[in-house]
Amino acid sequence: RHLGAVLGTEEFRRKYVEDKVAKWVRDVEQLSEIGRDDPQAAYTAFTKALCHRWTFVQRTIPGISELFGPLENALRHSFLPAIVGRQVSDLERKVFTLPVRLGGLGI
């Protein structure tokens, strides 16, 4: 790792990101448990802390977008239903992806 970004072979970078994503999925699952009882606290924790962990990795390691599938699944099927109280449609998921200034949730 160099200044927080991982360097090395493609295989090493892939393994590094997969391990990170697995940890973040567990974090999202735990936050989803909190979100069932206190959705505002879970949303705040997500937007102020948790999401910034993978934003840096996405910016500094090229060609890894396909490795974030499990994280998107956790957000879509666990976290969002926990904070809104029901399953979300494809359209709602797209809207929640928008920044708050454009009417989304920034998730």
Side-chain angles (χ1 to χ4, degrees), residues 7-62:
L7 301 173
T9 66
E10 181 71 29
E11 181 180 326
F12 177 75
R13 288 184 292 170
R14 183 177 196 81
K15 175 72 171 128
Y16 176 84
V17 173
E18 286 172 347
D19 291 346
K20 288 285 195 183
V21 168
K23 167 76 169 85
W24 296 329
V25 166
R26 288 191 301 273
D27 292 345
V28 167
E29 295 292 339
Q30 290 175 344
L31 203 53
S32 298
E33 290 296 320
I34 295 168
R36 287 178 179 79
D37 295 325
D38 196 352
Q40 290 177 324
Y43 173 71
T44 300
F46 177 84
T47 58
K48 301 297 181 190
L50 188 60
C51 69
H52 299 293
R53 294 179 184 173
W54 58 77
T55 303
F56 176 77
V57 171
Q58 289 174 326
R59 284 193 327 246
T60 58
I61 305 173

Side-chain angles (χ1 to χ4, degrees), residues 71-106:
L71 186 57
E72 171 57 29
N73 287 338
L75 290 171
R76 172 76 188 263
H77 300 293
S78 183
F79 183 69
L80 287 173
I83 65 170
V84 299
R86 60 179 173 75
Q87 292 296 319
V88 296
S89 69
D90 292 338
L91 178 60
E92 289 170 321
R93 177 63 185 118
K94 289 179 181 177
V95 171
F96 293 158
T97 303
L98 294 172
V100 175
R101 71 180 185 280
L102 296 178
L105 294 176

